[in-house]
Amino acid sequence: MMPDTDAMILKECDPTMPADRNDRREATRARIIEATSRLIGHQHGLSVRIEEICARAGISRGTFYNYFQSIDDLFVALSADLTHDFNRIVLDCILKFESFARQTYAAQYYYLERAASDPEWGWIMVHISAYGPIFGEETSQAALVSIEQGIANGEYDISDPVFGRDLALGTCLAAINTQLRQASPACR
């Protein structure tokens, strides 16, 4: 007999399953992500309940749990969706700088510029950062690597790379928050 989780994986990944079922699953997931973005993508969007997300997405609570185990799980997915492609572009740009300190500065600059040009994105970043790694796991991990390299290269006079990462990302997060509240770009 096959364990339940194995059966679920086989059912979800069944290549004989009609494509429209996969399309519907993706469309429902996208509606949940979009509804959450709209609910938290403004200054007062910090507190959102699963019921609000379900109502906005037009789904039941049970359907929500078919896609996400918790609101934290949803925020992880939202963060990945909103930052992955942007982070790839930022990484390509900042790697042109030889100095790790300059790379950190450039990444902060790009995040500030993105938040200024897309306030909804900026507020989402502010709000999801309240519940998990600042700007999401991928950004947090990339920043940690950069700070570690900067310490090894003698560019940062700190001993703890996690502290350095949190200082860099926390400063950027605070600047984005101020920029959004004052509705004035910090980088211009």
Side-chain angles (χ1 to χ4, degrees):
M1 181 158 186
M2 195 180 324
D4 289 341
T5 55
D6 289 352
M8 284 178 51
I9 291 169
L10 286 173
K11 186 176 179 181
E12 286 180 13
C13 299
D14 186 355
T16 64
M17 183 173 45
D20 65 328
R21 180 157 183 240
N22 281 332
D23 293 345
R24 283 194 317 261
R25 269 195 74 73
E26 280 304 310
T28 301
R29 183 185 183 282
R31 278 201 334 266
I32 295 169
I33 295 287
E34 178 67 22
T36 306
S37 294
R38 295 288 175 242
L39 288 167
I40 69 172
H42 57 88
Q43 183 173 357
H44 303 291
L46 180 59
S47 298
V48 64
R49 296 184 344 259
I50 291 173
E51 293 80 12
E52 295 171 300
I53 295 166
C54 292
R56 182 81 178 239
I59 61 166
S60 70
R61 191 177 174 96
T63 299
F64 175 90
Y65 286 109
N66 285 335
Y67 292 85
F68 302 101
Q69 295 178 8
S70 66
I71 200 155
D72 291 339
D73 188 31
L74 169 60
F75 282 175
V76 168
L78 176 61
S79 169
D81 282 6
L82 292 177
T83 62
H84 178 72
D85 291 338
F86 180 67
N87 283 337
R88 283 191 19 239
I89 294 166
V90 168
L91 193 58
D92 287 346
C93 292
I94 69 172
L95 290 177
K96 295 174 183 172
F97 295 97
E98 291 182 27
S99 162
F100 296 107
R102 291 263 186 224
Q103 289 178 11
T104 301
Y105 165 79
Q108 290 172 324
Y109 174 84
Y110 290 130
Y111 265 77
L112 284 162
E113 283 294 308
R114 173 75 187 268
S117 67
D118 185 354
E120 181 181 51
W121 182 88
W123 281 116
I124 293 168
M125 291 297 102
V126 167
H127 296 318
I128 65 171
S129 295
Y131 295 100
I134 297 174
F135 305 133
E137 185 61 39
E138 184 178 350
T139 304
S140 181
Q141 204 48 44
L144 180 61
V145 168
S146 182
I147 297 296
E148 287 171 338
Q149 292 170 329
I151 291 170
N153 201 36
E155 294 181 54
Y156 296 118
D157 188 20
I158 56 174
S159 58
D160 184 356
V162 172
F163 174 78
R165 179 215 46 211
D166 290 349
L167 182 62
L169 293 180
T171 300
C172 187
L173 177 64
I176 288 173
N177 198 346
T178 299
Q179 173 177 274
L180 292 169
R181 289 178 188 277
Q182 294 177 357
S184 63
C187 295
R188 298 191 183 172

